[in-house]
Amino acid sequence: MKVGFIGLGVMGQSMVGHILDAGYELFVYNRTKSKADNLVEIGAIWLDSPREVAEQADVVITIVGYPKDIEEVYYGEQGLFNGAHSDSIFIDMTTSTPSLAIELAEKSKERGIGILDAPVTGGDVGAREGRLAVLVGGDEDVLEKARPVIESFAASITRFGESGAGQHAKVVNQIMVAGTMLGLAEMMAYAKQADLDLTKLVDTIGAGAASNRSLENYGPRIIKKDYSPGFFVKHFVKDLKIALDEAEKMSLDLPMTQLAHKLYTQLAEIGHADEGTQAIVKLWWD
Amino acid sequence: MKVGFIGLGVMGQSMVGHILDAGYELFVYNRTKSKADNLVEIGAIWLDSPREVAEQADVVITIVGYPKDIEEVYYGEQGLFNGAHSDSIFIDMTTSTPSLAIELAEKSKERGIGILDAPVTGGDVGAREGRLAVLVGGDEDVLEKARPVIESFAASITRFGESGAGQHAKVVNQIMVAGTMLGLAEMMAYAKQADLDLTKLVDTIGAGAASNRSLENYGPRIIKKDYSPGFFVKHFVKDLKIALDEAEKMSLDLPMTQLAHKLYTQLAEIGHADEGTQAIVKLWWD
């Protein structure tokens, strides 16, 4: 099976490494070509467009930034659909909207193409260690065909239902993360103001009822004032907006998610869009 | 060393069991006497007032409901201070205000009594398993004398500084828990509305970047509609109010904690004060 991969950001870089390690022939494309350099060195084959990747590969994975980037990669003149063949399987792992996932699935089915929405969780560390959780929407038989490729970088693969269900599950994940990040931000703000030993706190609280992955991953980084991106502020703003738009469609009021969106938007606007989500403490700290 | 224990709620019941298991002679008092019945059967000795407990015991642990209950237990005519002797050590494990902890410490020192503020985290499960995290403020030598007793139910004992520091650390813990509980509530609200398989979600998301103890403990209970209290809504309302009052004293704005206080107050007001904190989903579900 030949694999294509489009989108070589923080996550994509690591995922491609694992697919190569698993022995697949791999074709890559990225808007910024230089990001493919180190991957070409270890065996990836560069192609000049998504269209060419679709022509060469059986399974194409996309993980790009925003819904508009997905539209360009799939629908563009040099896009995936124009290179698709009868056995093509496309897997969009971008965190995107359930409605776009459904739309892509409809357009794929018209062409007889298999498609999955399969956003991931586990962050930069999970990607590096090949231990991502993959949240899948789409046909079961398509998933079964693509499963060996996905397994090369996944700790778990869970199908939540038809197209769009993977994106819905990812929204749920991001709502939960919004809670842990706001909790982490406010606990750090309080602790610093109360002059408590932050390292002692993160260790102690991280072992009790308040323990969570955000505290474990980002607590120590915040203490070291390391705001480098595992997950970009600007991407979290996008994810939270998707959550609120979808909630609104379902007449659902999510005040904590609204607050998270407001605070992260504010953080992006004052110049921290390209930092990691742990930079949220900057709304309290200098 | 003889031990006294005042406050036989969800937490106290389990903690007393571990102190008895460790072989200490143990005197107990509780406002509602019947809650001591099963403990007396396994060896605890009932006394009719905190004062009598203080007279008999070397180390007295208190874990009651609210700051006003602490004042009654310590300052009352039949209270601890009136039964104290020169070797008394009092340990307040109630989640209370840093300022009351400091006040109790001042009054204790006037009388030559050792005192610690030592709220715990780990919830009903941690108490049952004897694996609580104990957050201590107060003199180091007082802690060393009391340590063997505390160790009978603790997984960790961490001293954060002088009197009040233990309560500050607990506030930090509760702020973090406010974040995980609001995240859990809104993720469940969204997931149910989007018609996703909740058990699959809790399992998958509980293993990834969004993993946290609230999701792990309460996710399955919410799915079973089990709202029995591990930790009471009314006590969380109190804790969040303490957090906000202390934050205000430090000129600190904590919007997520404010939101959590607002939502939990609302939950208590519509009749769920005596349920567990996982009942927060009732603001969205029927």
Side-chain angles (χ1 to χ4, degrees):
Chain A
M1 193 150 49
K2 294 178 189 173
V3 181
F5 203 102
I6 292 166
L8 304 173
V10 175
M11 302 295 287
Q13 293 271 343
S14 295
M15 292 157 79
V16 161
H18 292 294
I19 297 169
L20 285 169
D21 284 347
Y24 289 101
E25 188 172 354
L26 183 70
F27 302 91
V28 298
Y29 170 80
N30 193 60
R31 201 161 44 190
T32 308
K33 189 177 175 182
S34 60
K35 287 193 183 168
D37 291 350
N38 56 328
L39 298 170
V40 168
E41 268 176 39
I42 59 171
I45 299 157
W46 172 265
L47 292 174
D48 282 324
S49 69
R51 180 177 182 156
E52 288 174 54
V53 172
E55 284 165 357
Q56 296 295 329
D58 305 303
V59 172
V60 181
I61 293 172
T62 55
I63 182 162
V64 295
Y66 299 88
K68 66 174 169 41
D69 302 319
I70 299 172
E71 291 176 3
E72 194 190 316
V73 164
Y74 280 80
Y75 299 152
E77 172 62 26
Q78 293 301 315
L80 287 176
F81 279 131
N82 282 336
H85 47 84
S86 59
D87 293 328
S88 292
I89 291 178
F90 296 156
I91 309 176
D92 185 30
M93 296 198 156
T94 316
T95 295
S96 167
T97 66
S99 50
L100 179 54
I102 292 166
E103 181 190 304
L104 284 173
E106 283 165 359
K107 292 197 191 306
S108 296
K109 279 173 190 168
E110 287 168 12
R111 292 168 168 82
I113 299 165
I115 191 160
L116 304 172
D117 50 302
V120 298
T121 88
D124 56 334
V125 177
R128 209 157 46 233
E129 296 175 354
R131 296 190 47 75
L132 292 169
V134 184
L135 314 174
V136 182
D139 290 351
E140 213 151 359
D141 61 327
V142 176
L143 172 58
E144 289 320 307
K145 284 182 199 155
R147 186 182 286 274
V149 178
I150 302 174
E151 274 175 347
S152 68
F153 52 77
S156 72
I157 302 170
T158 311
R159 182 177 172 273
F160 283 92
E162 294 310 315
S163 294
Q167 292 298 350
H168 271 309
K170 182 63 191 281
V171 168
V172 169
N173 189 78
Q174 298 308 73
I175 291 171
M176 186 64 247
V177 170
T180 60
M181 290 308 298
L182 293 192
L184 175 59
E186 296 197 1
M187 78 163 250
M188 287 302 219
Y190 183 101
K192 194 163 186 182
Q193 202 77 3
D195 207 22
L196 296 174
D197 182 321
L198 298 182
T199 301
K200 227 182 236 187
L201 259 184
V202 167
D203 289 350
T204 308
I205 285 179
S211 77
N212 66 87
R213 194 63 57 84
S214 296
L215 173 57
E216 185 187 314
N217 280 347
Y218 296 128
R221 298 193 204 182
I222 289 170
I223 292 169
K224 287 185 293 187
K225 295 186 188 287
D226 169 7
Y227 303 115
S228 59
F231 183 49
F232 284 115
V233 166
K234 63 186 176 189
H235 287 164
F236 201 34
V237 170
K238 174 218 27 166
D239 292 2
L240 293 169
K241 183 65 166 52
I242 291 171
L244 293 176
D245 287 348
E246 293 294 323
E248 201 182 351
K249 282 184 199 167
M250 302 188 291
S251 304
L252 199 62
D253 189 31
L254 301 178
M256 184 281 295
T257 307
Q258 279 162 26
L259 176 62
H261 181 256
K262 187 184 127 192
L263 294 176
Y264 271 100
T265 301
Q266 202 175 318
L267 186 66
E269 282 171 0
I270 60 173
H272 306 297
D274 289 319
E275 295 181 359
T277 49
Q278 71 274 26
I280 186 76
V281 293
K282 291 186 175 178
L283 294 180
W284 286 269
W285 296 8
D286 289 326
Chain B
M1 192 149 52
K2 295 177 189 174
V3 180
F5 202 103
I6 292 166
L8 303 172
V10 176
M11 302 295 286
Q13 294 271 343
S14 295
M15 292 157 79
V16 161
H18 292 294
I19 297 170
L20 285 170
D21 285 347
Y24 290 101
E25 188 172 354
L26 184 70
F27 303 91
V28 297
Y29 170 79
N30 193 60
R31 201 161 45 189
T32 308
K33 189 177 175 181
S34 60
K35 287 194 184 168
D37 290 350
N38 57 327
L39 298 170
V40 168
E41 268 176 39
I42 59 170
I45 299 157
W46 171 265
L47 292 175
D48 283 323
S49 68
R51 180 177 181 158
E52 288 175 54
V53 172
E55 284 165 357
Q56 297 295 328
D58 305 303
V59 172
V60 181
I61 293 171
T62 55
I63 182 163
V64 295
Y66 299 88
K68 67 174 168 42
D69 301 318
I70 299 171
E71 291 177 3
E72 194 190 316
V73 164
Y74 280 80
Y75 299 152
E77 172 63 27
Q78 293 300 314
L80 287 176
F81 280 132
N82 282 335
H85 49 83
S86 60
D87 291 329
S88 292
I89 291 178
F90 296 156
I91 309 177
D92 185 30
M93 295 196 156
T94 316
T95 295
S96 166
T97 66
S99 51
L100 179 54
I102 292 166
E103 181 190 303
L104 284 173
E106 283 164 359
K107 292 199 190 306
S108 297
K109 279 173 190 169
E110 286 167 13
R111 293 166 167 83
I113 301 165
I115 190 159
L116 303 172
D117 51 301
V120 298
T121 88
D124 56 334
V125 177
R128 209 156 49 231
E129 296 175 355
R131 297 191 46 77
L132 292 169
V134 184
L135 315 173
V136 182
D139 290 352
E140 212 152 358
D141 61 327
V142 176
L143 172 58
E144 288 320 306
K145 284 182 199 155
R147 186 182 287 274
V149 179
I150 303 174
E151 273 175 347
S152 68
F153 51 77
S156 72
I157 301 170
T158 311
R159 182 178 171 274
F160 282 92
E162 294 309 314
S163 295
Q167 293 297 349
H168 271 309
K170 182 64 191 280
V171 168
V172 169
N173 188 79
Q174 299 307 73
I175 291 171
M176 186 63 247
V177 170
T180 59
M181 290 309 297
L182 293 193
L184 175 59
E186 295 196 0
M187 80 163 248
M188 287 302 220
Y190 183 102
K192 194 163 185 181
Q193 202 77 3
D195 208 22
L196 295 174
D197 182 323
L198 298 182
T199 301
K200 227 183 236 186
L201 258 184
V202 168
D203 289 350
T204 307
I205 285 180
S211 77
N212 66 87
R213 194 62 59 85
S214 296
L215 173 58
E216 185 187 315
N217 279 348
Y218 296 128
R221 298 193 204 184
I222 289 170
I223 292 169
K224 287 185 293 188
K225 294 185 188 285
D226 169 8
Y227 303 115
S228 59
F231 183 50
F232 284 115
V233 166
K234 63 186 176 189
H235 287 164
F236 201 34
V237 170
K238 173 216 31 163
D239 292 2
L240 293 169
K241 183 65 166 54
I242 291 170
L244 293 176
D245 287 347
E246 293 296 319
E248 199 183 352
K249 282 183 199 166
M250 302 189 291
S251 305
L252 199 62
D253 189 31
L254 301 178
M256 184 281 295
T257 308
Q258 279 163 26
L259 176 63
H261 181 255
K262 188 184 125 193
L263 294 176
Y264 272 100
T265 301
Q266 203 176 319
L267 186 66
E269 282 171 0
I270 60 173
H272 305 297
D274 288 319
E275 296 182 358
T277 49
Q278 71 274 27
I280 186 76
V281 292
K282 291 186 175 178
L283 295 180
W284 287 268
W285 294 9
D286 290 325

